Amino acid sequence: MRTENGIDVDIQAIERILAEGDLITIGFSLFPLRLLVDTRENEHDGQWAGIVEPVASVQERYLWLGKHRGSFGPPRAFAFFVWPKTVRNLIERGTLGILRSRLRGEALQRFDAAVEQALELEREAMKEAVRGSRAWPAIWEAQPRS
């Protein structure tokens, strides 16, 4: 089960964001958590990558940054987009490789772990969609056996 049909993506625009953005947040269609990558570094703090909770506004993300990445000012280039296809599709296209190539050391390790976590979150969401859950209510009820 994949969600690859029907939605065109301006891949060149996304690749440009991944190549140039200071702070990049990627949302996915099957689960609410976000992949956040901060490519900035200074003498005190290095780059950062991880899975984060969604926020309701850009202002809330700036508050999050102030709390977690306070040694940096506002990012020069902040980008958020929702990838409408699967995490696996984003990987297989090689699109994430652009962002990955900009990271080093611990941030690169955290990025790889975050992408694996996103794959697992997506797999779990797909299972829940088939089985039915609070997040993915089934459109039918199993009939009791007589």
Side-chain angles (χ1 to χ4, degrees), residues 14 17-18 21-28 32-38 48 50-55 61-62 64-65 75 77-83 90 99:
I14 289 175
I17 288 167
L18 297 178
D22 287 342
L23 184 75
I24 299 152
T25 307
I26 305 172
F28 300 97
L33 298 175
R34 312 292 193 219
L35 172 62
L36 187 142
V37 178
D38 189 345
W48 191 88
I51 298 291
V52 298
E53 291 288 331
V55 293
R61 185 58 71 203
Y62 278 115
W64 184 95
L65 285 170
F78 174 80
F80 169 75
F81 64 91
V82 175
W83 180 251
L90 189 59
L99 185 53

PDB file of all heavy atoms in Angstrom, residues 14 17-18 21-28 32-38 48 50-55 61-62 64-65 75 77-83 90 99:
ATOM      1  N   ILE A  14      11.683  21.439  -4.357  1.00  0.00           N
ATOM      2  CA  ILE A  14      12.016  20.738  -3.117  1.00  0.00           C
ATOM      3  C   ILE A  14      13.520  20.514  -3.030  1.00  0.00           C
ATOM      4  O   ILE A  14      14.126  20.724  -1.971  1.00  0.00           O
ATOM      5  CB  ILE A  14      11.226  19.419  -3.005  1.00  0.00           C
ATOM      6  CG1 ILE A  14       9.759  19.749  -2.729  1.00  0.00           C
ATOM      7  CG2 ILE A  14      11.806  18.515  -1.928  1.00  0.00           C
ATOM      8  CD1 ILE A  14       8.840  18.567  -2.717  1.00  0.00           C
ATOM      9  N   ILE A  17      15.171  23.685  -1.939  1.00  0.00           N
ATOM     10  CA  ILE A  17      14.975  23.894  -0.496  1.00  0.00           C
ATOM     11  C   ILE A  17      15.948  23.031   0.300  1.00  0.00           C
ATOM     12  O   ILE A  17      16.593  23.504   1.230  1.00  0.00           O
ATOM     13  CB  ILE A  17      13.519  23.560  -0.093  1.00  0.00           C
ATOM     14  CG1 ILE A  17      12.567  24.632  -0.624  1.00  0.00           C
ATOM     15  CG2 ILE A  17      13.384  23.403   1.414  1.00  0.00           C
ATOM     16  CD1 ILE A  17      11.099  24.235  -0.544  1.00  0.00           C
ATOM     17  N   LEU A  18      16.072  21.761  -0.071  1.00  0.00           N
ATOM     18  CA  LEU A  18      16.938  20.849   0.660  1.00  0.00           C
ATOM     19  C   LEU A  18      18.406  21.219   0.508  1.00  0.00           C
ATOM     20  O   LEU A  18      19.210  20.984   1.414  1.00  0.00           O
ATOM     21  CB  LEU A  18      16.708  19.414   0.201  1.00  0.00           C
ATOM     22  CG  LEU A  18      15.301  18.857   0.454  1.00  0.00           C
ATOM     23  CD1 LEU A  18      15.188  17.444  -0.092  1.00  0.00           C
ATOM     24  CD2 LEU A  18      14.923  18.916   1.913  1.00  0.00           C
ATOM     25  N   GLY A  21      18.271  25.463   2.319  1.00  0.00           N
ATOM     26  CA  GLY A  21      17.602  25.868   3.556  1.00  0.00           C
ATOM     27  C   GLY A  21      18.459  25.695   4.794  1.00  0.00           C
ATOM     28  O   GLY A  21      19.217  24.738   4.902  1.00  0.00           O
ATOM     29  N   ASP A  22      18.333  26.644   5.715  1.00  0.00           N
ATOM     30  CA  ASP A  22      18.997  26.510   7.016  1.00  0.00           C
ATOM     31  C   ASP A  22      18.225  25.553   7.909  1.00  0.00           C
ATOM     32  O   ASP A  22      18.801  24.697   8.566  1.00  0.00           O
ATOM     33  CB  ASP A  22      19.036  27.863   7.744  1.00  0.00           C
ATOM     34  CG  ASP A  22      20.016  28.833   7.152  1.00  0.00           C
ATOM     35  OD1 ASP A  22      20.906  28.409   6.405  1.00  0.00           O
ATOM     36  OD2 ASP A  22      19.887  30.027   7.444  1.00  0.00           O
ATOM     37  N   LEU A  23      16.924  25.754   7.945  1.00  0.00           N
ATOM     38  CA  LEU A  23      16.045  24.956   8.789  1.00  0.00           C
ATOM     39  C   LEU A  23      14.952  24.377   7.899  1.00  0.00           C
ATOM     40  O   LEU A  23      14.215  25.119   7.255  1.00  0.00           O
ATOM     41  CB  LEU A  23      15.427  25.815   9.886  1.00  0.00           C
ATOM     42  CG  LEU A  23      14.561  25.047  10.873  1.00  0.00           C
ATOM     43  CD1 LEU A  23      15.436  24.249  11.826  1.00  0.00           C
ATOM     44  CD2 LEU A  23      13.685  25.989  11.647  1.00  0.00           C
ATOM     45  N   ILE A  24      14.873  23.066   7.855  1.00  0.00           N
ATOM     46  CA  ILE A  24      13.936  22.388   6.968  1.00  0.00           C
ATOM     47  C   ILE A  24      13.076  21.448   7.807  1.00  0.00           C
ATOM     48  O   ILE A  24      13.597  20.648   8.581  1.00  0.00           O
ATOM     49  CB  ILE A  24      14.685  21.595   5.888  1.00  0.00           C
ATOM     50  CG1 ILE A  24      15.531  22.559   5.048  1.00  0.00           C
ATOM     51  CG2 ILE A  24      13.726  20.796   5.022  1.00  0.00           C
ATOM     52  CD1 ILE A  24      16.753  21.955   4.453  1.00  0.00           C
ATOM     53  N   THR A  25      11.777  21.581   7.652  1.00  0.00           N
ATOM     54  CA  THR A  25      10.841  20.700   8.345  1.00  0.00           C
ATOM     55  C   THR A  25       9.990  20.020   7.287  1.00  0.00           C
ATOM     56  O   THR A  25       9.405  20.683   6.429  1.00  0.00           O
ATOM     57  CB  THR A  25       9.956  21.498   9.313  1.00  0.00           C
ATOM     58  OG1 THR A  25      10.774  22.267  10.177  1.00  0.00           O
ATOM     59  CG2 THR A  25       9.093  20.559  10.139  1.00  0.00           C
ATOM     60  N   ILE A  26       9.935  18.693   7.361  1.00  0.00           N
ATOM     61  CA  ILE A  26       9.167  17.914   6.396  1.00  0.00           C
ATOM     62  C   ILE A  26       8.047  17.190   7.134  1.00  0.00           C
ATOM     63  O   ILE A  26       8.299  16.456   8.092  1.00  0.00           O
ATOM     64  CB  ILE A  26      10.050  16.883   5.657  1.00  0.00           C
ATOM     65  CG1 ILE A  26      11.251  17.585   5.001  1.00  0.00           C
ATOM     66  CG2 ILE A  26       9.226  16.116   4.617  1.00  0.00           C
ATOM     67  CD1 ILE A  26      12.280  16.628   4.423  1.00  0.00           C
ATOM     68  N   GLY A  27       6.824  17.407   6.668  1.00  0.00           N
ATOM     69  CA  GLY A  27       5.669  16.686   7.187  1.00  0.00           C
ATOM     70  C   GLY A  27       5.335  15.548   6.244  1.00  0.00           C
ATOM     71  O   GLY A  27       5.702  15.562   5.070  1.00  0.00           O
ATOM     72  N   PHE A  28       4.625  14.575   6.765  1.00  0.00           N
ATOM     73  CA  PHE A  28       4.237  13.410   5.968  1.00  0.00           C
ATOM     74  C   PHE A  28       2.736  13.219   6.069  1.00  0.00           C
ATOM     75  O   PHE A  28       2.104  13.658   7.030  1.00  0.00           O
ATOM     76  CB  PHE A  28       4.995  12.168   6.445  1.00  0.00           C
ATOM     77  CG  PHE A  28       6.489  12.334   6.334  1.00  0.00           C
ATOM     78  CD1 PHE A  28       7.243  12.716   7.431  1.00  0.00           C
ATOM     79  CD2 PHE A  28       7.132  12.147   5.127  1.00  0.00           C
ATOM     80  CE1 PHE A  28       8.607  12.900   7.335  1.00  0.00           C
ATOM     81  CE2 PHE A  28       8.504  12.324   5.009  1.00  0.00           C
ATOM     82  CZ  PHE A  28       9.243  12.696   6.121  1.00  0.00           C
ATOM     83  N   PRO A  32       1.603  12.372  12.052  1.00  0.00           N
ATOM     84  CA  PRO A  32       1.719  13.798  12.348  1.00  0.00           C
ATOM     85  C   PRO A  32       3.119  14.307  12.664  1.00  0.00           C
ATOM     86  O   PRO A  32       3.372  15.504  12.538  1.00  0.00           O
ATOM     87  CB  PRO A  32       0.806  13.979  13.565  1.00  0.00           C
ATOM     88  CG  PRO A  32       0.812  12.640  14.227  1.00  0.00           C
ATOM     89  CD  PRO A  32       0.921  11.632  13.108  1.00  0.00           C
ATOM     90  N   LEU A  33       4.026  13.446  13.092  1.00  0.00           N
ATOM     91  CA  LEU A  33       5.352  13.915  13.476  1.00  0.00           C
ATOM     92  C   LEU A  33       6.111  14.447  12.262  1.00  0.00           C
ATOM     93  O   LEU A  33       5.806  14.084  11.120  1.00  0.00           O
ATOM     94  CB  LEU A  33       6.135  12.799  14.159  1.00  0.00           C
ATOM     95  CG  LEU A  33       5.518  12.289  15.457  1.00  0.00           C
ATOM     96  CD1 LEU A  33       6.295  11.105  15.992  1.00  0.00           C
ATOM     97  CD2 LEU A  33       5.437  13.394  16.492  1.00  0.00           C
ATOM     98  N   ARG A  34       7.102  15.297  12.524  1.00  0.00           N
ATOM     99  CA  ARG A  34       7.856  15.977  11.475  1.00  0.00           C
ATOM    100  C   ARG A  34       9.337  15.606  11.534  1.00  0.00           C
ATOM    101  O   ARG A  34       9.872  15.366  12.610  1.00  0.00           O
ATOM    102  CB  ARG A  34       7.767  17.498  11.630  1.00  0.00           C
ATOM    103  CG  ARG A  34       6.386  18.057  11.847  1.00  0.00           C
ATOM    104  CD  ARG A  34       5.534  17.899  10.635  1.00  0.00           C
ATOM    105  NE  ARG A  34       4.318  18.703  10.745  1.00  0.00           N
ATOM    106  CZ  ARG A  34       3.152  18.296  10.332  1.00  0.00           C
ATOM    107  NH1 ARG A  34       3.009  17.099   9.802  1.00  0.00           N
ATOM    108  NH2 ARG A  34       2.093  19.073  10.422  1.00  0.00           N
ATOM    109  N   LEU A  35       9.962  15.589  10.375  1.00  0.00           N
ATOM    110  CA  LEU A  35      11.413  15.481  10.290  1.00  0.00           C
ATOM    111  C   LEU A  35      11.950  16.902  10.237  1.00  0.00           C
ATOM    112  O   LEU A  35      11.604  17.660   9.326  1.00  0.00           O
ATOM    113  CB  LEU A  35      11.827  14.704   9.035  1.00  0.00           C
ATOM    114  CG  LEU A  35      13.322  14.667   8.710  1.00  0.00           C
ATOM    115  CD1 LEU A  35      14.109  13.976   9.817  1.00  0.00           C
ATOM    116  CD2 LEU A  35      13.550  13.977   7.376  1.00  0.00           C
ATOM    117  N   LEU A  36      12.752  17.278  11.234  1.00  0.00           N
ATOM    118  CA  LEU A  36      13.309  18.628  11.293  1.00  0.00           C
ATOM    119  C   LEU A  36      14.822  18.538  11.186  1.00  0.00           C
ATOM    120  O   LEU A  36      15.447  17.727  11.877  1.00  0.00           O
ATOM    121  CB  LEU A  36      12.916  19.320  12.595  1.00  0.00           C
ATOM    122  CG  LEU A  36      13.306  20.799  12.689  1.00  0.00           C
ATOM    123  CD1 LEU A  36      12.204  21.585  13.387  1.00  0.00           C
ATOM    124  CD2 LEU A  36      14.617  20.993  13.404  1.00  0.00           C
ATOM    125  N   VAL A  37      15.392  19.355  10.301  1.00  0.00           N
ATOM    126  CA  VAL A  37      16.840  19.402  10.119  1.00  0.00           C
ATOM    127  C   VAL A  37      17.283  20.855  10.196  1.00  0.00           C
ATOM    128  O   VAL A  37      16.766  21.707   9.475  1.00  0.00           O
ATOM    129  CB  VAL A  37      17.263  18.778   8.768  1.00  0.00           C
ATOM    130  CG1 VAL A  37      18.773  18.873   8.583  1.00  0.00           C
ATOM    131  CG2 VAL A  37      16.794  17.337   8.659  1.00  0.00           C
ATOM    132  N   ASP A  38      18.230  21.118  11.080  1.00  0.00           N
ATOM    133  CA  ASP A  38      18.821  22.443  11.219  1.00  0.00           C
ATOM    134  C   ASP A  38      20.283  22.319  10.796  1.00  0.00           C
ATOM    135  O   ASP A  38      21.077  21.678  11.480  1.00  0.00           O
ATOM    136  CB  ASP A  38      18.702  22.922  12.672  1.00  0.00           C
ATOM    137  CG  ASP A  38      19.102  24.375  12.858  1.00  0.00           C
ATOM    138  OD1 ASP A  38      19.747  24.946  11.944  1.00  0.00           O
ATOM    139  OD2 ASP A  38      18.777  24.938  13.908  1.00  0.00           O
ATOM    140  N   TRP A  48      21.745  19.749  13.584  1.00  0.00           N
ATOM    141  CA  TRP A  48      20.815  18.908  14.329  1.00  0.00           C
ATOM    142  C   TRP A  48      19.779  18.315  13.380  1.00  0.00           C
ATOM    143  O   TRP A  48      19.345  18.958  12.416  1.00  0.00           O
ATOM    144  CB  TRP A  48      20.106  19.734  15.408  1.00  0.00           C
ATOM    145  CG  TRP A  48      19.336  18.892  16.371  1.00  0.00           C
ATOM    146  CD1 TRP A  48      19.818  18.333  17.507  1.00  0.00           C
ATOM    147  CD2 TRP A  48      17.964  18.509  16.268  1.00  0.00           C
ATOM    148  NE1 TRP A  48      18.814  17.609  18.130  1.00  0.00           N
ATOM    149  CE2 TRP A  48      17.673  17.712  17.383  1.00  0.00           C
ATOM    150  CE3 TRP A  48      16.955  18.754  15.335  1.00  0.00           C
ATOM    151  CZ2 TRP A  48      16.422  17.149  17.604  1.00  0.00           C
ATOM    152  CZ3 TRP A  48      15.709  18.200  15.553  1.00  0.00           C
ATOM    153  CH2 TRP A  48      15.446  17.406  16.680  1.00  0.00           C
ATOM    154  N   GLY A  50      16.201  15.441  13.636  1.00  0.00           N
ATOM    155  CA  GLY A  50      15.396  14.560  14.461  1.00  0.00           C
ATOM    156  C   GLY A  50      13.931  14.624  14.102  1.00  0.00           C
ATOM    157  O   GLY A  50      13.505  15.427  13.270  1.00  0.00           O
ATOM    158  N   ILE A  51      13.161  13.761  14.730  1.00  0.00           N
ATOM    159  CA  ILE A  51      11.711  13.739  14.586  1.00  0.00           C
ATOM    160  C   ILE A  51      11.136  14.589  15.716  1.00  0.00           C
ATOM    161  O   ILE A  51      11.521  14.425  16.876  1.00  0.00           O
ATOM    162  CB  ILE A  51      11.169  12.296  14.664  1.00  0.00           C
ATOM    163  CG1 ILE A  51      11.719  11.444  13.522  1.00  0.00           C
ATOM    164  CG2 ILE A  51       9.646  12.282  14.685  1.00  0.00           C
ATOM    165  CD1 ILE A  51      11.211  11.800  12.140  1.00  0.00           C
ATOM    166  N   VAL A  52      10.242  15.511  15.356  1.00  0.00           N
ATOM    167  CA  VAL A  52       9.664  16.432  16.341  1.00  0.00           C
ATOM    168  C   VAL A  52       8.143  16.437  16.220  1.00  0.00           C
ATOM    169  O   VAL A  52       7.580  16.053  15.191  1.00  0.00           O
ATOM    170  CB  VAL A  52      10.209  17.868  16.167  1.00  0.00           C
ATOM    171  CG1 VAL A  52      11.718  17.908  16.398  1.00  0.00           C
ATOM    172  CG2 VAL A  52       9.856  18.440  14.803  1.00  0.00           C
ATOM    173  N   GLU A  53       7.515  16.907  17.286  1.00  0.00           N
ATOM    174  CA  GLU A  53       6.058  17.065  17.289  1.00  0.00           C
ATOM    175  C   GLU A  53       5.660  18.191  16.332  1.00  0.00           C
ATOM    176  O   GLU A  53       6.410  19.152  16.164  1.00  0.00           O
ATOM    177  CB  GLU A  53       5.569  17.417  18.698  1.00  0.00           C
ATOM    178  CG  GLU A  53       5.701  16.298  19.701  1.00  0.00           C
ATOM    179  CD  GLU A  53       4.709  15.168  19.477  1.00  0.00           C
ATOM    180  OE1 GLU A  53       3.614  15.417  18.948  1.00  0.00           O
ATOM    181  OE2 GLU A  53       5.052  14.032  19.837  1.00  0.00           O
ATOM    182  N   PRO A  54       4.483  18.107  15.748  1.00  0.00           N
ATOM    183  CA  PRO A  54       4.011  19.221  14.918  1.00  0.00           C
ATOM    184  C   PRO A  54       3.664  20.421  15.800  1.00  0.00           C
ATOM    185  O   PRO A  54       3.414  20.261  16.993  1.00  0.00           O
ATOM    186  CB  PRO A  54       2.765  18.657  14.229  1.00  0.00           C
ATOM    187  CG  PRO A  54       2.300  17.568  15.127  1.00  0.00           C
ATOM    188  CD  PRO A  54       3.524  17.006  15.806  1.00  0.00           C
ATOM    189  N   VAL A  55       3.680  21.592  15.201  1.00  0.00           N
ATOM    190  CA  VAL A  55       3.267  22.807  15.899  1.00  0.00           C
ATOM    191  C   VAL A  55       2.162  23.461  15.083  1.00  0.00           C
ATOM    192  O   VAL A  55       1.976  23.151  13.900  1.00  0.00           O
ATOM    193  CB  VAL A  55       4.445  23.790  16.105  1.00  0.00           C
ATOM    194  CG1 VAL A  55       5.470  23.205  17.071  1.00  0.00           C
ATOM    195  CG2 VAL A  55       5.082  24.164  14.790  1.00  0.00           C
ATOM    196  N   ARG A  61       7.029  27.210  16.153  1.00  0.00           N
ATOM    197  CA  ARG A  61       8.299  26.570  15.779  1.00  0.00           C
ATOM    198  C   ARG A  61       9.464  27.464  16.201  1.00  0.00           C
ATOM    199  O   ARG A  61      10.488  26.976  16.681  1.00  0.00           O
ATOM    200  CB  ARG A  61       8.353  26.277  14.282  1.00  0.00           C
ATOM    201  CG  ARG A  61       9.585  25.508  13.852  1.00  0.00           C
ATOM    202  CD  ARG A  61       9.776  24.153  14.542  1.00  0.00           C
ATOM    203  NE  ARG A  61       8.800  23.186  14.104  1.00  0.00           N
ATOM    204  CZ  ARG A  61       8.446  22.112  14.803  1.00  0.00           C
ATOM    205  NH1 ARG A  61       9.000  21.849  15.966  1.00  0.00           N
ATOM    206  NH2 ARG A  61       7.528  21.285  14.352  1.00  0.00           N
ATOM    207  N   TYR A  62       9.319  28.773  16.072  1.00  0.00           N
ATOM    208  CA  TYR A  62      10.372  29.683  16.524  1.00  0.00           C
ATOM    209  C   TYR A  62      10.562  29.577  18.039  1.00  0.00           C
ATOM    210  O   TYR A  62      11.699  29.634  18.532  1.00  0.00           O
ATOM    211  CB  TYR A  62      10.084  31.124  16.112  1.00  0.00           C
ATOM    212  CG  TYR A  62      10.502  31.416  14.684  1.00  0.00           C
ATOM    213  CD1 TYR A  62       9.561  31.737  13.717  1.00  0.00           C
ATOM    214  CD2 TYR A  62      11.844  31.356  14.298  1.00  0.00           C
ATOM    215  CE1 TYR A  62       9.938  31.997  12.410  1.00  0.00           C
ATOM    216  CE2 TYR A  62      12.229  31.613  12.992  1.00  0.00           C
ATOM    217  CZ  TYR A  62      11.273  31.935  12.051  1.00  0.00           C
ATOM    218  OH  TYR A  62      11.654  32.178  10.760  1.00  0.00           O
ATOM    219  N   TRP A  64      10.024  26.861  19.773  1.00  0.00           N
ATOM    220  CA  TRP A  64      10.713  25.581  19.924  1.00  0.00           C
ATOM    221  C   TRP A  64      12.202  25.763  19.652  1.00  0.00           C
ATOM    222  O   TRP A  64      13.049  25.272  20.398  1.00  0.00           O
ATOM    223  CB  TRP A  64      10.111  24.547  18.966  1.00  0.00           C
ATOM    224  CG  TRP A  64      10.682  23.177  19.121  1.00  0.00           C
ATOM    225  CD1 TRP A  64      10.174  22.160  19.868  1.00  0.00           C
ATOM    226  CD2 TRP A  64      11.863  22.656  18.506  1.00  0.00           C
ATOM    227  NE1 TRP A  64      10.974  21.041  19.761  1.00  0.00           N
ATOM    228  CE2 TRP A  64      12.020  21.326  18.927  1.00  0.00           C
ATOM    229  CE3 TRP A  64      12.812  23.176  17.639  1.00  0.00           C
ATOM    230  CZ2 TRP A  64      13.072  20.514  18.528  1.00  0.00           C
ATOM    231  CZ3 TRP A  64      13.876  22.379  17.238  1.00  0.00           C
ATOM    232  CH2 TRP A  64      14.004  21.062  17.685  1.00  0.00           C
ATOM    233  N   LEU A  65      12.519  26.491  18.587  1.00  0.00           N
ATOM    234  CA  LEU A  65      13.926  26.742  18.246  1.00  0.00           C
ATOM    235  C   LEU A  65      14.634  27.502  19.355  1.00  0.00           C
ATOM    236  O   LEU A  65      15.783  27.197  19.690  1.00  0.00           O
ATOM    237  CB  LEU A  65      14.029  27.528  16.938  1.00  0.00           C
ATOM    238  CG  LEU A  65      13.757  26.748  15.667  1.00  0.00           C
ATOM    239  CD1 LEU A  65      13.655  27.694  14.481  1.00  0.00           C
ATOM    240  CD2 LEU A  65      14.818  25.698  15.432  1.00  0.00           C
ATOM    241  N   PRO A  75      16.515  31.487  11.730  1.00  0.00           N
ATOM    242  CA  PRO A  75      17.155  30.943  10.520  1.00  0.00           C
ATOM    243  C   PRO A  75      17.017  31.917   9.344  1.00  0.00           C
ATOM    244  O   PRO A  75      16.023  32.611   9.213  1.00  0.00           O
ATOM    245  CB  PRO A  75      16.394  29.644  10.257  1.00  0.00           C
ATOM    246  CG  PRO A  75      15.139  29.750  11.031  1.00  0.00           C
ATOM    247  CD  PRO A  75      15.365  30.702  12.144  1.00  0.00           C
ATOM    248  N   ALA A  77      16.953  30.932   6.178  1.00  0.00           N
ATOM    249  CA  ALA A  77      16.049  30.316   5.205  1.00  0.00           C
ATOM    250  C   ALA A  77      15.324  29.160   5.877  1.00  0.00           C
ATOM    251  O   ALA A  77      15.903  28.103   6.114  1.00  0.00           O
ATOM    252  CB  ALA A  77      16.830  29.827   3.985  1.00  0.00           C
ATOM    253  N   PHE A  78      14.062  29.376   6.213  1.00  0.00           N
ATOM    254  CA  PHE A  78      13.223  28.390   6.900  1.00  0.00           C
ATOM    255  C   PHE A  78      12.235  27.826   5.884  1.00  0.00           C
ATOM    256  O   PHE A  78      11.613  28.579   5.144  1.00  0.00           O
ATOM    257  CB  PHE A  78      12.479  29.081   8.039  1.00  0.00           C
ATOM    258  CG  PHE A  78      11.475  28.197   8.731  1.00  0.00           C
ATOM    259  CD1 PHE A  78      11.886  27.286   9.683  1.00  0.00           C
ATOM    260  CD2 PHE A  78      10.139  28.286   8.429  1.00  0.00           C
ATOM    261  CE1 PHE A  78      10.958  26.473  10.334  1.00  0.00           C
ATOM    262  CE2 PHE A  78       9.210  27.475   9.069  1.00  0.00           C
ATOM    263  CZ  PHE A  78       9.628  26.573  10.023  1.00  0.00           C
ATOM    264  N   ALA A  79      12.105  26.502   5.844  1.00  0.00           N
ATOM    265  CA  ALA A  79      11.167  25.897   4.904  1.00  0.00           C
ATOM    266  C   ALA A  79      10.393  24.775   5.586  1.00  0.00           C
ATOM    267  O   ALA A  79      10.948  24.027   6.385  1.00  0.00           O
ATOM    268  CB  ALA A  79      11.917  25.350   3.693  1.00  0.00           C
ATOM    269  N   PHE A  80       9.123  24.692   5.263  1.00  0.00           N
ATOM    270  CA  PHE A  80       8.272  23.585   5.701  1.00  0.00           C
ATOM    271  C   PHE A  80       7.467  23.131   4.496  1.00  0.00           C
ATOM    272  O   PHE A  80       6.921  23.938   3.762  1.00  0.00           O
ATOM    273  CB  PHE A  80       7.313  24.015   6.810  1.00  0.00           C
ATOM    274  CG  PHE A  80       6.260  22.970   7.094  1.00  0.00           C
ATOM    275  CD1 PHE A  80       6.584  21.825   7.793  1.00  0.00           C
ATOM    276  CD2 PHE A  80       4.971  23.116   6.624  1.00  0.00           C
ATOM    277  CE1 PHE A  80       5.617  20.837   8.039  1.00  0.00           C
ATOM    278  CE2 PHE A  80       4.006  22.139   6.867  1.00  0.00           C
ATOM    279  CZ  PHE A  80       4.334  21.004   7.578  1.00  0.00           C
ATOM    280  N   PHE A  81       7.434  21.823   4.279  1.00  0.00           N
ATOM    281  CA  PHE A  81       6.546  21.283   3.264  1.00  0.00           C
ATOM    282  C   PHE A  81       6.075  19.908   3.708  1.00  0.00           C
ATOM    283  O   PHE A  81       6.704  19.250   4.522  1.00  0.00           O
ATOM    284  CB  PHE A  81       7.215  21.221   1.875  1.00  0.00           C
ATOM    285  CG  PHE A  81       8.404  20.290   1.781  1.00  0.00           C
ATOM    286  CD1 PHE A  81       8.248  18.962   1.412  1.00  0.00           C
ATOM    287  CD2 PHE A  81       9.685  20.759   2.051  1.00  0.00           C
ATOM    288  CE1 PHE A  81       9.346  18.115   1.317  1.00  0.00           C
ATOM    289  CE2 PHE A  81      10.780  19.922   1.963  1.00  0.00           C
ATOM    290  CZ  PHE A  81      10.615  18.600   1.592  1.00  0.00           C
ATOM    291  N   VAL A  82       4.926  19.513   3.185  1.00  0.00           N
ATOM    292  CA  VAL A  82       4.399  18.173   3.430  1.00  0.00           C
ATOM    293  C   VAL A  82       4.691  17.346   2.190  1.00  0.00           C
ATOM    294  O   VAL A  82       4.293  17.703   1.080  1.00  0.00           O
ATOM    295  CB  VAL A  82       2.887  18.207   3.723  1.00  0.00           C
ATOM    296  CG1 VAL A  82       2.342  16.790   3.845  1.00  0.00           C
ATOM    297  CG2 VAL A  82       2.602  19.006   4.983  1.00  0.00           C
ATOM    298  N   TRP A  83       5.412  16.255   2.390  1.00  0.00           N
ATOM    299  CA  TRP A  83       5.703  15.333   1.302  1.00  0.00           C
ATOM    300  C   TRP A  83       4.459  14.457   1.120  1.00  0.00           C
ATOM    301  O   TRP A  83       4.080  13.721   2.025  1.00  0.00           O
ATOM    302  CB  TRP A  83       6.921  14.475   1.632  1.00  0.00           C
ATOM    303  CG  TRP A  83       7.274  13.517   0.549  1.00  0.00           C
ATOM    304  CD1 TRP A  83       7.119  12.165   0.575  1.00  0.00           C
ATOM    305  CD2 TRP A  83       7.821  13.831  -0.726  1.00  0.00           C
ATOM    306  NE1 TRP A  83       7.538  11.615  -0.603  1.00  0.00           N
ATOM    307  CE2 TRP A  83       7.974  12.623  -1.419  1.00  0.00           C
ATOM    308  CE3 TRP A  83       8.187  15.011  -1.359  1.00  0.00           C
ATOM    309  CZ2 TRP A  83       8.490  12.561  -2.718  1.00  0.00           C
ATOM    310  CZ3 TRP A  83       8.694  14.956  -2.639  1.00  0.00           C
ATOM    311  CH2 TRP A  83       8.840  13.734  -3.304  1.00  0.00           C
ATOM    312  N   LEU A  90      10.441   9.139  -1.006  1.00  0.00           N
ATOM    313  CA  LEU A  90      11.376  10.249  -0.827  1.00  0.00           C
ATOM    314  C   LEU A  90      12.817   9.737  -0.785  1.00  0.00           C
ATOM    315  O   LEU A  90      13.724  10.354  -1.351  1.00  0.00           O
ATOM    316  CB  LEU A  90      11.026  11.005   0.459  1.00  0.00           C
ATOM    317  CG  LEU A  90      11.726  12.322   0.736  1.00  0.00           C
ATOM    318  CD1 LEU A  90      11.474  13.337  -0.362  1.00  0.00           C
ATOM    319  CD2 LEU A  90      11.259  12.874   2.073  1.00  0.00           C
ATOM    320  N   LEU A  99      19.941  16.613   1.178  1.00  0.00           N
ATOM    321  CA  LEU A  99      20.005  17.125   2.539  1.00  0.00           C
ATOM    322  C   LEU A  99      21.043  16.359   3.353  1.00  0.00           C
ATOM    323  O   LEU A  99      21.840  16.956   4.091  1.00  0.00           O
ATOM    324  CB  LEU A  99      18.621  17.028   3.189  1.00  0.00           C
ATOM    325  CG  LEU A  99      18.435  17.617   4.567  1.00  0.00           C
ATOM    326  CD1 LEU A  99      18.896  19.064   4.625  1.00  0.00           C
ATOM    327  CD2 LEU A  99      16.982  17.499   4.986  1.00  0.00           C
TER     328      LEU A  99
END
